[in-house]
Amino acid sequence: MSHKHEQLLRTLFHDPVSNNIHWREAESLLNHVGAAMESLAGARIRVKLNRAEGILHRPHHGNTLDRHAVMNLREFLGRAGVTPSLYEERERVRSQGAD
């Protein structure tokens, strides 16, 4: 995972919830982790990743996710097993295997 995606993942799961996350960055992270995205009516998007499925909403006015949208994205990523702690654990195991 690139440093940019890793930092975004940390920001998504950091409290207090950020309201300075751009949709294109969130979409890039979802693509990077292998999520399948399907546009639905309006601003809704069906996202599938690691047996988790959810409906996310693109921002209506502007490009920045509001706090509610960030919380929905955080919840979806958590259900899909994409969290900062799980990522760090995978990286730790991967680096030990390389030794």
Side-chain angles (χ1 to χ4, degrees):
M1 183 177 287
S2 72
H3 178 69
K4 177 180 155 186
H5 289 128
E6 182 181 349
Q7 187 61 37
L8 177 59
L9 189 60
R10 289 179 197 282
T11 301
L12 286 168
F13 282 89
H14 187 265
D15 284 321
V17 176
S18 176
N19 63 345
N20 192 25
I21 296 173
H22 293 272
W23 169 251
R24 61 182 160 69
E25 294 170 344
E27 190 174 29
S28 174
L29 174 65
L30 289 167
N31 283 323
H32 180 75
V33 296
M37 292 186 282
E38 172 188 356
S39 291
L40 302 174
R44 297 180 309 148
I45 298 174
R46 176 179 291 127
V47 184
K48 297 178 184 178
L49 175 64
N50 300 338
R51 298 184 181 179
E53 184 174 333
I55 303 293
L56 301 176
H57 296 266
R58 288 186 191 105
H60 292 284
H61 303 289
N63 297 322
T64 306
L65 299 174
D66 63 16
R67 285 189 168 99
H68 184 71
V70 172
M71 290 299 294
N72 287 339
L73 180 57
R74 179 194 289 193
E75 178 198 339
F76 172 75
L77 289 170
R79 284 186 287 125
V82 179
T83 63
S85 59
L86 291 174
Y87 169 75
E88 289 168 1
E89 179 64 21
R90 275 189 235 127
E91 287 300 307
R92 187 182 62 76
V93 168
R94 185 176 296 147
S95 68
Q96 288 177 351
D99 293 340

